[in-house]
Amino acid sequence: PPPPNGFTLIEVVLVMVVIVIISAISLPHFASTFRGNKLRTSARTINRMAKYARSMAIMREQTLTVVLNHETMELYLGGRARPATGSADGELDQDVLKRLGYTEGEAAPKDAGIEKEVHRFLPDGLTVKEFEKEWTDEDALYEDLYLIHYYPNGQCEWFMLELEDQQGMGVKLENDPISGKITSEFIQ
């Protein structure tokens, strides 16, 4: 008689056993690769944002600021927001006066007075372990924000930023204030 069409139960079980063995061998490798992926992505995002800020500051001949909100892990770039006028006769809007601290109300805007041109969120599960720079009076106004200024001459403020994931892996980013180049180093 002709051979039956299809697979026998033994053949299906053998194929399933082979798939389970291959998965068990390769899964730890993929898990460790994925674990550092958030840190690599964040380091690349910050590096690209810094390069863009430096080149735009030079091209526009204007100081630009990169802002990291360490509470929401929001990263954005822009220049100083221009005060808006509230009416056609040139009177200042009350919201502007509140932001500047001349009237009662919210003491400081959540965006540090920066017009958001480029805006990104860093991946979930990351925290800022350490941030260092030469602090100014402006930095004291915005306790949730880290500000890094890029100047029209191509220079920027020095900073060191260390991000950490939930497993304790980290990446340390440090820039050169003359060239703006950021170096990164992974920490375990």
Side-chain angles (χ1 to χ4, degrees):
N5 292 336
F7 301 104
T8 65
L9 183 59
I10 294 176
E11 291 172 331
V12 172
V13 169
L14 284 175
V15 168
M16 296 301 288
V17 167
V18 169
I19 289 173
V20 167
I21 291 171
I22 290 173
S23 297
I25 292 171
S26 62
L27 194 59
H29 173 70
F30 289 126
S32 66
T33 301
F34 181 70
R35 213 173 81 190
N37 193 31
K38 287 182 181 182
L39 292 169
R40 278 190 290 282
T41 300
S42 297
R44 278 193 296 262
T45 300
I46 293 168
N47 195 4
R48 281 191 215 122
M49 185 81 72
K51 285 180 182 178
Y52 183 76
R54 182 175 184 267
S55 63
M56 286 293 110
I58 293 169
M59 188 174 83
R60 294 180 189 170
E61 297 180 355
Q62 170 189 6
T63 299
L64 293 178
T65 304
V66 172
V67 180
L68 173 62
N69 183 331
H70 65 86
E71 294 294 321
T72 62
M73 296 307 282
E74 176 184 15
L75 183 70
Y76 57 90
L77 158 73
R80 283 274 165 225
R82 295 184 187 98
T85 57
S87 62
D89 62 2
E91 290 183 32
L92 282 177
D93 191 337
Q94 290 299 313
D95 291 335
V96 174
L97 292 174
K98 284 180 187 175
R99 281 192 305 212
L100 294 174
Y102 292 114
T103 61
E104 299 275 325
E106 189 175 323
K110 288 291 185 188
D111 60 2
I114 304 296
E115 286 185 17
K116 296 179 182 178
E117 294 180 29
V118 181
H119 182 254
R120 301 282 182 267
F121 281 96
L122 298 180
D124 291 335
L126 297 181
T127 57
V128 175
K129 183 176 179 183
E130 188 175 354
F131 183 81
E132 292 180 23
K133 71 172 252 174
E134 291 183 25
W135 297 97
T136 64
D137 293 337
E138 181 185 21
D139 294 316
L141 294 174
Y142 310 109
E143 60 189 40
D144 291 345
L145 305 177
Y146 298 137
L147 308 174
I148 302 137
H149 300 290
Y150 287 81
Y151 303 108
N153 63 1
Q155 296 181 0
C156 63
E157 294 177 322
W158 171 85
F159 72 91
M160 188 283 301
L161 171 67
E162 194 173 322
L163 298 173
E164 186 176 60
D165 66 8
Q166 294 167 335
Q167 289 84 26
M169 286 183 64
V171 63
K172 179 180 175 182
L173 303 164
E174 188 172 350
N175 77 329
D176 174 19
I178 305 296
S179 69
K181 182 179 178 182
I182 294 180
T183 57
S184 59
E185 154 186 3
F186 284 89
I187 304 166
Q188 282 204 289

